[in-house]
Amino acid sequence: MSDPHSAPVFARYVALGDSQSEGVGDGDDRTGVIGLADRLAASMARAYPSLLYANLAVRGKLASQIRHDQLDAAVALRPDVATVIAGMNDLLRPDFDADAVGRHLEAMFEALTAHGATVATLTFPDITRITPLARPIAARTVALNAVIREAAARHGVVVAETCDHAVVTDPRLWSPDRLHASPLGHQRIADALAQALHLPGSDDSWTTPLSPPLPQQHPVAQVGTESRWLATFLGPWLLRRLTGRSSGDGRVAKRPELARFEERTGSLYNANTTPTAAATSTNSTATTTAATPVGGE
């Protein structure tokens, strides 16, 4: 558990990023998405009740777009803590350039830390352990994580090393599209960031494997699972890429201004309940924030 004597005190939290920080996979059109940044803000607000929170993240954005569209607005909000999570949308593009992503990340890290913010980011898991069909891009994840670490080290940015733990590729931490975290996954990421930031009450329990373990899937059944995923999720995603469309087209940040973080008890998901082998989400209770409803990809 984090040492309360060394824990920082935060009053103004701003999240920058793409769908993960916006909250896709954790909520829906009707209720609004929640996500790792909202869940991290909830942890901060429990420690610091006067916390102000803004979330500038928009799904589908590349690192260059996050820098261009969100950085100036974030700096203007004068955060004392910020999260910057970017690069996965770049990684999935045919023209992925890890060094270019690193330069955009570094520019964001430099600007935010220069204005006095504590900045946190994270590394990404090996997605081939979630989606076997992603093996051709496995080396890209290694390259992306390397530039994240290098840029973070140069600017004193806190890194939550989520890629090092087997639990992060448990299917129950991922939504059915395998591109976004499930409610439980978003909570685990938020807990990892909380530990990296030494928030009061945080610890390494987010690394604990889920119980019970999932049964091994028969190879024939696995082929069927992969085929359905190709048709249902990957195919439409690729079509959008080929036609130059993005899930973020026409969308704006769900929480563009700093405002007092207000918790409310919803009935969407219980992020602390392990989903069954047949599902990655469950209808029970969760902590969410009042935010403009926006839909998932």
Side-chain angles (χ1 to χ4, degrees):
M1 184 170 291
S2 295
D3 179 359
H5 299 293
S6 63
V9 176
F10 297 128
R12 303 166 70 90
Y13 168 37
V14 177
L16 298 81
D18 53 27
S19 57
Q20 298 288 40
S21 295
E22 183 188 344
V24 175
D26 187 6
D28 57 30
D29 274 337
R30 181 179 60 83
T31 60
V33 290
I34 308 168
L36 66 91
D38 284 14
R39 293 180 183 277
L40 178 60
S43 294
M44 289 185 186
R46 285 190 286 272
Y48 320 118
S50 61
L51 180 78
L52 301 178
Y53 166 53
N55 189 327
L56 308 180
V58 177
R59 67 193 68 184
K61 298 301 182 183
L62 303 172
S64 60
Q65 295 171 318
I66 294 168
R67 175 186 177 184
H68 181 269
D69 298 343
Q70 301 175 27
L71 179 58
D72 288 348
V75 169
L77 293 172
R78 298 182 292 109
D80 52 25
V81 60
T83 51
V84 179
I85 301 174
M88 184 54 70
N89 287 321
D90 299 82
L91 182 148
L92 297 171
R93 297 301 195 275
D95 58 350
F96 172 66
D97 182 340
D99 291 333
V101 173
R103 288 191 292 273
H104 293 303
L105 286 169
E106 182 142 16
M108 290 186 277
F109 294 164
E110 181 176 20
L112 289 162
T113 55
H115 284 81
T118 295
V119 179
T121 189
L122 52 75
T123 52
F124 294 98
D126 177 4
I127 60 175
T128 65
R129 288 157 54 193
I130 308 162
T131 305
L133 292 172
R135 287 192 183 94
I137 62 173
R140 294 183 175 194
T141 307
V142 175
L144 176 58
N145 286 339
V147 298
I148 289 170
R149 294 186 184 101
E150 291 164 6
R154 283 191 286 270
H155 299 283
V157 170
V158 175
V159 180
E161 289 284 359
T162 60
C163 71
D164 290 341
H165 302 280
V167 69
V168 300
T169 54
D170 187 305
R172 290 167 288 189
L173 266 62
W174 293 86
S175 64
D177 68 10
R178 304 188 200 171
L179 299 172
H180 302 100
S182 67
L184 179 60
H186 278 283
Q187 186 62 60
R188 290 281 182 124
I189 299 168
D191 291 344
L193 288 163
Q195 185 194 16
L197 287 165
H198 301 290
L199 294 187
S202 63
D203 57 30
D204 66 353
S205 59
W206 63 271
T207 67
T208 304
L210 301 187
S211 181
L214 290 175
Q216 191 71 28
Q217 191 174 33
H218 189 278
V220 174
Q222 187 173 28
V223 169
T225 298
E226 296 302 304
S227 298
R228 286 190 295 274
W229 176 73
L230 278 170
T232 306
F233 297 109
L234 184 61
W237 184 90
L238 288 172
L239 180 61
R240 284 197 298 273
R241 300 290 79 75
L242 292 172
T243 56
R245 292 181 291 127
S246 167
S247 58
D249 290 346
R251 294 188 179 273
V252 297
K254 68 179 184 179
R255 195 180 175 106
E257 302 294 338
L258 283 170
R260 184 77 171 267
F261 186 89
E262 300 289 346
E263 285 190 328
R264 62 180 173 86
T265 300
S267 57
L268 298 177
Y269 307 101
N270 183 349
N272 295 315
T273 298
T274 301
T276 65
T280 57
S281 63
T282 162
N283 292 324
S284 45
T285 59
T287 298
T288 69
T289 60
T292 302
V294 288
E297 184 172 283

